[in-house]
Amino acid sequence: MTPEAKRLIERLDGGERLTAEKFRRLLEGSDKESDALLREKAVARRKAVYGNAVFVRGLIEISSYCKNDCLYCGIRRSNRNADRYRLTEEQILACADEGYTLGFRTFVLQGGEDGYFTDERLVPLLRELKRRHPDCAVTLSLGERGKESFQRLFDAGADRYLLRHETATKAHYQTLHPPEMSFDRRMNCLRDLRAIGYAVGAGFMVGSPGQTAEHLANDLYFIQEFQPEMCGIGPFIPHKDTVFANLPAGNVEMTCRLLSIIRLIKPNILLPATTALGTIHPRGRELGIQAGANVVMPNLSPADVRKKYALYDNKICTGEESAQCKDCLNARMRAVGYEIVVSRGDAAPVASRKS
Ligand code: SAH
């Protein structure tokens, strides 16, 4: 470990802000020893805020129809091989009811940008979800919408919104998306969500095509400045029917390194060990938790549609029932000394940086 890397880790751990340039130096100066130090500090911060609790989110993948054409994504509109499905309102509510019985207190409704799910359809659905489960949080992850729409969904009961920024570097964003998609629009959505009062989740893929240390440094700097309540990061994994089919996936080491750094940037951030991380390594989610993550997101979608929500190849947990997914994760978390809890899992108040 270089003296500079050590110093930067200590500065981060002490609550100091870093410039994008320093984040880049930290990433470029990383080795096994600095990763171990990062992990140790990140886990200590995480334990000071959340103990050994792991929050669960029940993921309900409501539609694989999408009007967008993100170059990396398996459900992009130009993928003619994608087998599309859309859950009915009754199916979504049934998934949540089952999830509630299994101990979930947060439901994440995620999907492609599907024109079927207008405000007129989502508002009554959200109201009914909250009527049935008033003690639960509802998170939406339905892509970009107008501010008025975000407001209506919020008023109908949505508590949180996940909208990964994907990359904080505009030029890089443009290489991952078709020309009609806009970096500025996506960033504006994040600001709108924040202004409305949502708990907001940003995030990015690790090892996405063309990504450099400088891009990742910009992502870290953005997280530090925007201070999202949540941050979803996972490795890029190629999908066979996309432009990026033959490119390499992101790796576990870099993903875990970034999880640790993000934990130090914002000790109370909600940070999932993602399904994508579990896909590239058999113990990926455990490694994510051991690097400072504190959330897992098991699948609550009906078993018969899971394979169809294929953002990338070889996605795990597509053959199981919801109860099995939950039990499996319980056992995995216990095996590394953590405990899944029955809780909405809101962000804890900001902890002091003493020690
Ligand atoms: N339509 C919603 C939800 C997108 S899917 C939205 O626009 O936010 C959730 C996330 O999956 C995306 O934000 C993206 O970061 C990730 N993802 C998509 N394709 C991927 C791939 N090939 N490998 C890894 N992650 C991918």
Side-chain angles (χ1 to χ4, degrees), residues 66 68 70 72-75 110-113 141-144 161-166 181 186 203-205 232 234-239 242 276 309 311-313:
C66 192
N68 284 334
C70 307
Y72 44 84
C73 185
I75 62 167
Q110 187 179 86
E113 289 193 20
S141 179
L142 301 172
E144 298 167 24
Y161 207 104
L162 301 180
L163 187 77
R164 291 185 175 183
H165 63 284
E166 310 297 358
M181 289 184 72
R186 198 153 182 99
F204 54 97
M205 288 179 290
F236 158 75
I237 304 174
H239 184 287
T242 63
Y309 196 76
L311 309 180
Y312 47 81
D313 290 335

